[in-house]
Amino acid sequence: MKKLLMMVCIFFAVIYTNAQSPKTYTSSELLQQLKKLNVLGSVLYVAAHPDDENTRLMAYLANEKLYRTGYLSLTRGDGGQNLIGDEQGIDLGLIRTQELLAARRVDGAEQYFSRAYDFGYSKSPEEAMRIWGHDEILSDVVWVIRKFRPDVIICRFPTTGEGGHGHHTASAILAEEAYEAAADPTKFPEQLTQSGITAWRATRLLWNTFNFGNTNTQRNDQFKVDVGQFNPLLGKSYGEIAAQSRSQHKSQGFGVPSQRGVVLEYFKTLKGSAPVIDLMDGVDISWRRTGNTDAAKAITKTIDSIVNTYNSQKPDLIALPLANWVQRMMQEILAQPLANDQLKALNNSYVNQKINAANELIANSLGIFAEAAAQNQLNVKGDSIKINVTVNVRNSNLVNRIKVSTFGVSAVFDSLATNVSSSKMVTGFIDELSEATQPYWLENGLKDGRFNVTKQRMIGLPEYNAYQALVELKVGDNLMNHYRPVQYKYTDPVKGELFQPVQVVNPVFVNASPSLVLFNSNDKKQKKLVEFDVQFNSKLADSIQL
C-alpha cells in the first residue's frame, strides 16, 4: 500500500483578498484603449517598496501619453507597518502585493517585483544589497528591463542617499547598474537563452526628483512635465486618478485627497541623452520603429480611421475593422525580413502586446461576457473539477459561436442570440502532478535576504495564475482568442457577489502542534507531546505513517 509521507507543515497562507469581478468598460474607456494601439513607447518606474511609486506620474504616462507603463518594486513591503491587521513579514508582503495590483488597476500601469525580501529599515544601500545578494537582485532588474524593453527608465530615489532608507538608495544604484548591464550581452548571458529575450538599452535613465518632508531635491533647471491634466474620456484629472491609486495602500493608511490643476514633476538625467521637449525625445513611438515604413503607415492609418469614425452609441462597429487590422499587422510586420534578433524580438513583443489588446477591445466592444466558475474553491490534485461556463453576447449579432476551454475540456455555444445567457457544466481533470496553489515566490522559501525563485520566467511577476479559460470567437473570417481566469464565486448577504481564485490543494493536510520541538541531546529519555491534525481533502484508501 502506498505510504503518504507527510510534509512538515505546508505553507498555504493565502491571504483572502477578493479576486476581481468581471470588468466592464464604457464607450469612452474603449476609445481610450483604441487610441493606445498606435503608441509603441514604454516607461519603467523603479523604486524599493509598495507606496514608493509616483502614482500621479504613472497615471499620466499610461493614460495621457498612452505609453506602456510599469512599476518595478524591488520588495513586496514585507517589513513595513500594517494598520488593518496583525499580519507581518511574508503575510504582510502578500497583502501589499494585492494592494499594489489594486493600485495598478486604477492608474493603468503594470506591476513587477524582484526577489528581494523587505527585512525592515536599512541604514545603508551596502547593507541592503549585502543581505539581498547584490548580483541576484541586479539580475532581476536586468531581467525585467530585457522583458519589458522600456524606452525610458525612471528612478524614484537618487544614488546619493537623499532618499534616506538604505533600500531606497539601493533601488537607484541597482537601476543605474542595470541600465548598462541590460544592454551588455556578456552580463547574465543565461537570460538570453530564454525565448524572445535579447539585450536591451533604454534611451535614458532619469531620477524623478521630489520635495517631501524636509528634503527638496527639485531645481528650476531640471526637466519639467505638467502631469495635472484632465482626461475627458476618463472624467478625471491625473491627480484624482493618483489619489484613488495611492489610497489602495490601505495597510499603510495612505488614503490621500485628490489634486486638481497644474502639477509639475521634475527630472534629472542620470544616463543617456537628456530630454529637452518630451520624456521620449529621440524615441520613435510609432509603428515606424518596426522597420517597415509602408506597413507602418497603413497600420497607423487604419487605427486613426477607426478612432475618427468611432460611434460611442455603437462601439461594436469597431470589431470587424479591428479584427482585419490584427490580421494585416501579423502578415506585414511579422513577415518582413529583419536585420537583427533585437529588432525581431522588439517587433514580436509589440505585435503580441497589440494583438492581445485588440482582441480584448473586440470582445469588450461586442459586449461579450464569458465566465468559467468552479463549483468548489478548493480542488484536489488528481481529482475532477466541475466548472460552470456562461457566455452572453450583449451588444452584437456578429458572433454566433463561442468556445471556452479549460482543464482539458471545452464548452461550445452555437447559434447565440443577442443578450441571451447560455450556460454549460463541464467536468475537467486536475493532473496529479500539478503543484498545489501557493504564491510562487514562497514555493522554496527564503534564501538569505531574498525569495528563492528558481524558475526564470516567474521572476518579476506580481503573481501567477495557472488556471485560465481560453475563449475563442469568430468575428468575420477572423478567429479571436482571449483569456479569462477560472474563479470561484459566491454571494455574501452584505457584500453581494464575490469572487475568489480557484485553489488546487494536496489530498491531505497534516499540521503539527507545536510546529517546532527542541530536545536536550544529553537527555536520552526526554519526551515531548506533539499533536497532529490531519485533514483529508478527498477520499483516500492509503495509509499515513507519522
Side-chain angles (χ1 to χ4, degrees):
M1 185 177 292
K2 181 180 177 182
K3 296 180 180 179
L4 296 178
L5 301 178
M6 288 298 95
M7 304 82 59
V8 182
C9 188
I10 299 173
F11 188 88
F12 190 59
V14 176
I15 300 298
Y16 284 95
T17 52
N18 291 332
Q20 292 302 296
S21 58
K23 170 71 174 172
T24 58
Y25 296 88
T26 66
S27 287
S28 61
E29 289 172 325
L30 293 178
L31 179 57
Q32 174 86 356
Q33 296 168 17
L34 186 59
K35 294 165 66 177
K36 203 164 187 171
L37 292 178
N38 266 345
V39 180
L40 275 63
S42 56
V43 178
L44 182 66
Y45 202 88
V46 182
H49 309 107
D51 81 9
D52 286 345
E53 78 275 26
N54 186 333
T55 53
R56 184 173 53 228
L57 174 62
M58 294 201 305
Y60 166 84
L61 294 172
N63 299 286
E64 180 69 24
K65 305 301 289 186
L66 305 178
Y67 303 145
R68 184 188 181 198
T69 305
Y71 174 44
L72 170 58
S73 174
L74 294 192
T75 76
R76 295 175 183 266
D78 321 80
Q81 60 185 344
N82 183 3
L83 299 185
I84 61 173
D86 56 7
E87 295 86 358
Q88 291 294 318
I90 287 173
D91 289 353
L92 179 56
L94 289 166
I95 291 175
R96 288 191 169 183
T97 295
Q98 294 303 316
E99 289 177 343
L100 270 179
L101 289 172
R104 299 295 80 79
R105 286 190 289 271
V106 173
D107 58 40
E110 302 171 26
Q111 184 61 51
Y112 299 91
F113 292 96
S114 82
R115 290 173 290 176
Y117 177 70
D118 182 354
F119 55 83
Y121 184 79
S122 176
K123 296 180 180 179
S124 70
E126 291 79 16
E127 178 193 45
M129 291 187 286
R130 175 177 54 80
I131 293 174
W132 289 339
H134 170 274
D135 290 354
E136 288 77 10
I137 304 307
L138 175 61
S139 75
D140 291 357
V141 182
V142 168
W143 171 254
V144 172
I145 290 173
R146 286 173 172 173
K147 282 187 65 179
F148 191 85
R149 297 185 177 90
D151 298 303
V152 176
I153 302 173
I154 302 176
C155 296
R156 168 80 281 189
F157 302 104
T159 61
T160 47
E162 291 94 325
H165 197 313
H167 292 179
H168 294 169
T169 306
S171 71
I173 292 172
L174 289 167
E176 192 171 71
E177 293 179 0
Y179 173 88
E180 299 291 350
D184 185 349
T186 68
K187 303 294 186 183
F188 310 107
E190 69 281 358
Q191 295 180 1
L192 305 180
T193 64
Q194 300 288 320
S195 176
I197 302 299
T198 64
W200 178 258
R201 179 175 292 281
T203 298
R204 57 183 57 92
L205 172 68
L206 305 175
W207 166 31
N208 179 200
T209 59
F210 52 82
N211 180 9
F212 48 74
N214 296 319
T215 305
N216 183 4
T217 61
Q218 297 174 343
R219 304 289 182 266
N220 287 331
D221 60 349
Q222 294 172 353
F223 181 74
K224 307 177 191 65
V225 175
D226 176 14
V227 299
Q229 289 99 319
F230 174 77
N231 188 318
L233 292 179
L234 303 181
K236 301 180 181 72
S237 69
Y238 299 115
E240 292 171 308
I241 295 173
Q244 293 179 0
S245 176
R246 185 76 170 171
S247 297
Q248 301 307 308
H249 295 294
K250 300 183 186 304
S251 65
Q252 302 184 70
F254 275 178
V256 296
S258 297
Q259 287 185 313
R260 299 167 186 85
V262 174
V263 180
L264 296 179
E265 292 292 341
Y266 294 73
F267 302 88
K268 180 179 179 179
T269 304
L270 302 178
K271 294 277 187 177
S273 59
V276 177
I277 299 174
D278 187 86
L279 286 174
M280 287 287 181
D281 278 354
V283 180
D284 189 344
I285 61 171
S286 75
W287 282 101
R288 289 189 301 270
R289 74 185 304 172
T290 61
N292 188 330
T293 303
D294 292 337
K297 288 181 179 178
I299 287 169
T300 303
K301 183 178 180 180
T302 300
I303 292 300
D304 286 342
S305 176
I306 297 174
V307 168
N308 292 334
T309 58
Y310 183 75
N311 185 339
S312 62
Q313 297 296 317
K314 298 180 179 180
D316 57 304
L317 295 178
I318 70 172
L320 276 176
L322 202 52
N324 293 333
W325 177 83
V326 168
Q327 295 302 316
R328 179 170 189 169
M329 179 174 59
M330 292 175 62
Q331 293 170 3
E332 297 192 16
I333 297 295
L334 292 181
Q336 65 177 317
L338 297 171
N340 56 66
D341 290 341
Q342 187 177 35
L343 185 57
K344 183 177 180 180
L346 178 67
N347 284 359
N348 288 341
S349 175
Y350 271 118
V351 169
N352 289 333
Q353 289 171 33
K354 300 306 182 182
I355 286 174
N356 292 337
N359 285 348
E360 286 294 319
L361 262 170
I362 291 167
N364 291 327
S365 70
L366 296 171
I368 291 175
F369 174 85
E371 178 184 79
Q375 195 172 62
N376 300 304
Q377 184 179 12
L378 300 182
N379 301 274
V380 180
K381 294 195 300 183
D383 205 346
S384 60
I385 176 172
K386 291 187 176 181
I387 301 169
N388 188 46
V389 179
T390 302
V391 300
N392 187 329
V393 183
R394 295 170 288 182
N395 196 38
S396 176
N397 58 4
L398 289 177
V399 180
N400 55 25
R401 187 176 190 270
I402 294 179
K403 180 181 178 181
V404 181
S405 305
T406 187
F407 284 99
V409 293
S410 299
V412 178
F413 300 86
D414 291 306
S415 304
L416 291 165
T418 302
N419 203 29
V420 175
S421 292
S422 300
S423 297
K424 291 184 179 181
M425 182 69 74
V426 298
T427 302
F429 182 77
I430 304 171
D431 194 309
E432 62 182 5
L433 299 179
S434 298
E435 296 180 351
T437 303
Q438 64 175 326
Y440 78 87
W441 63 95
L442 302 180
E443 182 177 343
N444 300 310
L446 283 166
K447 182 178 182 181
D448 300 322
R450 62 186 177 277
F451 295 107
N452 186 22
V453 181
T454 58
K455 298 174 183 177
Q456 183 65 53
R457 285 284 175 179
M458 294 286 196
I459 292 174
L461 298 178
E463 59 184 359
Y464 179 71
N465 180 8
Y467 309 113
Q468 302 280 325
L470 171 63
V471 181
E472 303 173 80
L473 56 139
K474 195 171 185 180
V475 180
D477 295 326
N478 306 295
L479 184 65
M480 317 305 298
N481 297 333
H482 61 281
Y483 290 88
R484 292 292 179 264
V486 181
Q487 296 179 311
Y488 169 73
K489 72 174 183 178
Y490 62 99
T491 303
D492 182 274
V494 175
K495 298 179 180 178
E497 189 176 60
L498 298 176
F499 293 78
Q500 295 283 358
V502 164
Q503 309 286 341
V504 171
V505 299
N506 288 300
V508 178
F509 290 156
V510 175
N511 288 307
S513 179
S515 59
L516 177 66
V517 179
L518 299 177
F519 289 91
N520 185 341
S521 59
N522 295 322
D523 185 354
K524 303 301 183 182
K525 297 182 179 181
Q526 187 177 11
K527 295 181 180 180
K528 298 280 187 177
L529 177 64
V530 180
E531 294 184 354
F532 290 93
D533 180 27
V534 181
Q535 175 185 327
F536 291 90
N537 296 319
S538 64
K539 293 181 179 179
L540 295 176
D542 301 302
S543 65
I544 297 175
Q545 288 189 354
L546 299 173

